[in-house]
Amino acid sequence: MSEAPISEAQQLALDEFVSDIDVLNALSDSNRQKIIILLGSHLKHGLTVTELVENMSLSQPAVSHHLKILKQVKIVGSTKHGLQNTYHLTLDNTLEKLERLVALIRASLQNIED
């Protein structure tokens, strides 16, 4: 059976998925989701790795690993205070990517319904 041709709008949505795959993968892990929620509840001052470990059932190396992934895709940023880093959300770029993906998916669906 051959594949049905896809519209330009559908191709744009597929291309956006590929473009955002690192962000989507970062968001897919439940531990990273919890870190995002915890940081979101401390927007004003952020949290240290130690504070995150205290609120999660993960080791310090595991939390640091998840923070590294979130930093790579610019969901989380850090500020150095003496010997410790304070982590905070930097979601603006991520939200723009996700909003663009949703808009492209909606546009590709509208073309199907028309």
Side-chain angles (χ1 to χ4, degrees), residues 17 20-37 39 66-76 89-99 101-102:
F17 267 116
D20 295 341
I21 198 70
D22 290 341
V23 171
L24 296 171
N25 283 334
L27 293 172
S28 71
D29 183 271
S30 62
N31 290 311
R32 291 191 285 272
Q33 293 165 5
K34 187 168 183 180
I35 290 171
I36 291 167
I37 298 301
L39 291 175
H66 289 299
L67 285 168
K68 178 182 175 186
I69 291 168
L70 292 170
K71 282 184 73 174
Q72 287 173 338
V73 295
K74 297 180 175 54
I75 292 173
V76 169
L89 291 180
T90 57
L91 285 174
D92 291 344
N93 185 44
T94 302
L95 291 175
E96 288 172 12
K97 285 181 177 186
L98 295 175
E99 287 168 351
L101 176 60
V102 169

Side-chain angles (χ1 to χ4, degrees), residues 7-110:
S7 70
E8 183 178 338
Q10 290 170 322
Q11 186 60 53
L12 287 172
L14 288 171
D15 291 346
E16 192 67 25
F17 267 116
V18 171
S19 169
D20 295 341
I21 198 70
D22 290 341
V23 171
L24 296 171
N25 283 334
L27 293 172
S28 71
D29 183 271
S30 62
N31 290 311
R32 291 191 285 272
Q33 293 165 5
K34 187 168 183 180
I35 290 171
I36 291 167
I37 298 301
L38 288 169
L39 291 175
S41 65
H42 293 83
L43 287 174
K44 197 176 254 187
H45 302 292
L47 293 170
T48 64
V49 171
T50 303
E51 292 168 327
L52 286 165
V53 168
E54 290 170 359
N55 288 285
M56 300 182 74
S57 52
L58 292 176
S59 67
Q60 182 273 323
V63 170
S64 293
H65 170 74
H66 289 299
L67 285 168
K68 178 182 175 186
I69 291 168
L70 292 170
K71 282 184 73 174
Q72 287 173 338
V73 295
K74 297 180 175 54
I75 292 173
V76 169
S78 65
T79 308
K80 190 138 180 100
H81 297 284
L83 298 175
Q84 286 192 320
N85 285 321
T86 301
Y87 294 88
H88 54 275
L89 291 180
T90 57
L91 285 174
D92 291 344
N93 185 44
T94 302
L95 291 175
E96 288 172 12
K97 285 181 177 186
L98 295 175
E99 287 168 351
R100 186 173 55 246
L101 176 60
V102 169
L104 287 168
I105 292 169
R106 284 192 175 129
S108 74
L109 295 174
Q110 288 174 351

